[in-house]
């Protein structure tokens, strides 16, 4: 007996890397899977039906049930066709994993607006449109009296949570996914839907490209240790857990997942507060500015200078 017997899952960007591992893990727990992948390059160019088809065939060889889908999830009609294919093929849908994404890195002063916008569109519209399509179906099902736990798992990034130079478009999109997750969770809770986000750290086409020739490149090299902490398949068990009834009371949360570690991310919250009666002056604020940072932890990302390091004078 699998944890997802009888259920149907959609995974976007499932032709390679993290998405492939998620599709296989969901199928391993009994879910029938719609394997979506447009099959483009890491920057979104082109299309290729082979990756999604190969994963669907692999699931079938392992004794599971899967169908390949090649729609563009940034297209409203494509997202609707994706959900319709799940319903027409398997009769229901219970889980949506939004994983598809691209990169087009560049510094603020040199990146082309088109490249900036297309990354935003891919990640945000690519999460919104499948979520919109599936939540409309679940809403109708709930109104008809058909209720059960339904799960959406979104994909954010540590780059979005903490910021990364050269990736302002990707970072803005990925932090936007965190806010989108919270809003979607609030809007769909009454229909039995949980919506959570994961920030995966793993070796994929996107990460190897990002950190190539950097001082972090070794993290993303092919692992030789017994346990490969950067194996993209390490992400799948937690995503699968969030899809099960064991996680039916977890929603609107964000988690970092890497190797054997799962970390719950505290969502934005108020830390220190300055207060006075009346309107502030600039001099008063300058004199009391350090009071805004009294409760800093040891984390490198905290502090008035944050993750960025100002150049020495």
């Amino acid at each position: 007996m699998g944890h997802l017997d009888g259920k149907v899952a959609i995974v976007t960007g499932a032709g390679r890397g993290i998405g492939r591992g998620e599709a296989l893990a969901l199928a391993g727990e009994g879910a029938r899977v719609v394997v979506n992948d447009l099959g483009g390059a890491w920057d979104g160019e082109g299309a290729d039906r082979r990756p999604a088809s190969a994963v669907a065939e692999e699931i079938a060889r392992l004794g599971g049930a899967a169908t390949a889908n090649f729609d563009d999830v940034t297209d409203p009609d494509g997202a609707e066709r994706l959900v319709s294919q799940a319903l027409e093929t398997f009769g229901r849908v219970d889980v949506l994993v939004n994983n598809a994404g691209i990169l087009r890195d560049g510094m603020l002063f040199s990146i082309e607006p088109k490249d900036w916008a297309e990354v935003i569109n891919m990640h945000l519209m690519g999460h919104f449109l499948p979520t919109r399509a599936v939540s409309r179906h679940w809403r109708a099902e709930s109104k008809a009296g058909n209720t059960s736990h339904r799960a959406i798992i979104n994909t954010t990034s540590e780059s979005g949570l903490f910021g990364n130079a050269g990736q302002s478009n990707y970072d803005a999109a990925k932090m936007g996914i965190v806010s989108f997750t919270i809003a979607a969770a609030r809007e769909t809770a009454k229909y039995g839907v949980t919506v959570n986000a994961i920030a995966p750290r793993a070796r994929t086409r996107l990460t190897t490209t990002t950190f190539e020739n950097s001082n972090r490149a070794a993290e993303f090299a092919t692992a030789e240790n017994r346990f490969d902490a950067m194996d993209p398949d390490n992400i799948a068990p937690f995503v699968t857990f969030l899809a099960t009834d064991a996680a039916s009371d977890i929603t609107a949360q964000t988690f970092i997942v890497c190797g054997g570690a799962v970390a719950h991310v505290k969502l934005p919250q108020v830390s220190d507060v300055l207060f006075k009666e009346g309107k502030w002056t600039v001099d008063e604020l300058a004199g009391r500015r350090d009071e805004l940072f009294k409760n800093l932890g040891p984390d490198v990302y905290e502090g008035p200078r944050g993750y960025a390091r100002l150049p020495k004078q």
Side-chain angles (χ1 to χ4, degrees):
M1 291 283 293
H3 288 286
L4 296 172
D5 284 350
K7 295 197 174 185
V8 174
I10 296 170
V11 185
T12 72
R16 303 178 179 92
I18 292 170
R20 172 185 172 275
E22 291 167 339
L24 288 166
L26 290 162
E29 289 295 338
R32 292 162 288 171
V33 183
V34 180
V35 180
N36 162 267
D37 205 303
L38 184 62
W42 61 269
D43 61 357
E45 294 293 338
D48 186 348
R49 293 192 167 200
R50 289 175 295 179
S53 297
V55 174
E57 291 167 4
E58 184 175 1
I59 290 172
R61 285 197 304 272
L62 293 170
T67 182
N69 173 276
F70 317 107
D71 280 302
D72 180 353
V73 292
T74 68
D75 173 61
D77 292 337
E80 293 289 343
R81 285 193 298 269
L82 172 61
V83 174
S84 293
Q85 183 172 334
L87 296 172
E88 291 166 5
T89 305
F90 298 123
R92 60 186 294 162
V93 59
D94 304 273
V95 179
L96 169 64
V97 180
N98 288 310
N99 172 74
I102 63 170
L103 281 181
R104 293 191 185 181
D105 291 353
M107 302 298 281
L108 285 169
F109 39 77
S110 59
I111 193 169
E112 292 294 328
K114 179 175 181 290
D115 290 334
W116 209 92
E118 288 189 4
V119 168
I120 296 290
N121 183 65
M122 175 68 245
H123 289 274
L124 290 180
M125 291 299 284
H127 272 64
F128 161 65
L129 290 172
T131 299
R132 176 178 182 266
V134 78
S135 63
R136 290 170 72 177
H137 169 69
W138 286 336
R139 180 171 180 261
E141 285 283 290
S142 293
K143 287 189 173 184
N146 301 321
T147 59
S148 63
H149 173 224
R150 292 106 176 202
I152 298 172
I153 299 97
N154 295 327
T155 308
T156 181
S157 168
E158 289 176 276
S159 290
L161 296 173
F162 303 117
N164 190 40
Q167 292 191 305
S168 61
N169 49 1
Y170 182 74
D171 294 355
K174 288 301 191 182
M175 194 59 176
I177 287 169
V178 173
S179 293
F180 173 74
T181 296
I182 299 168
R186 291 180 182 274
E187 292 181 16
T188 60
K190 62 184 175 182
Y191 308 122
V193 182
T194 58
V195 189
N196 294 286
I198 61 154
R201 190 189 307 171
R203 183 176 54 254
T204 68
R205 293 186 301 166
L206 270 61
T207 53
T208 52
T209 299
T210 299
F211 294 103
E212 187 177 13
N213 300 320
S214 77
N215 59 6
R216 293 191 62 192
E219 291 181 43
F220 300 91
T222 301
E224 297 179 357
N225 298 325
R226 175 182 291 182
F227 175 63
D228 178 3
M230 297 304 294
D231 187 339
D233 288 349
N234 295 334
I235 308 303
F238 189 71
V239 169
T240 303
F241 159 72
L242 289 175
T244 69
D245 289 345
S248 61
D249 60 344
I250 301 173
T251 195
Q253 304 303 309
T254 296
F255 305 88
I256 295 172
V257 185
C258 173
V262 176
H264 179 222
V265 179
K266 286 193 280 188
L267 298 174
Q269 57 185 288
V270 174
S271 179
D272 298 297
V273 179
L274 286 179
F275 181 79
K276 65 162 284 188
E277 292 288 346
K279 183 179 178 180
W280 287 94
T281 68
V282 173
D283 285 340
E284 287 172 333
L285 290 166
R288 294 181 58 187
R289 49 151 265 167
D290 288 344
E291 295 177 40
L292 286 171
F293 307 103
K294 289 186 297 184
N295 291 318
L296 291 182
D299 195 288
V300 68
Y301 302 114
E302 296 182 336
R305 295 186 180 184
Y307 187 32
R309 292 291 179 262
L310 300 182
K312 293 181 179 179
Q313 300 298 322

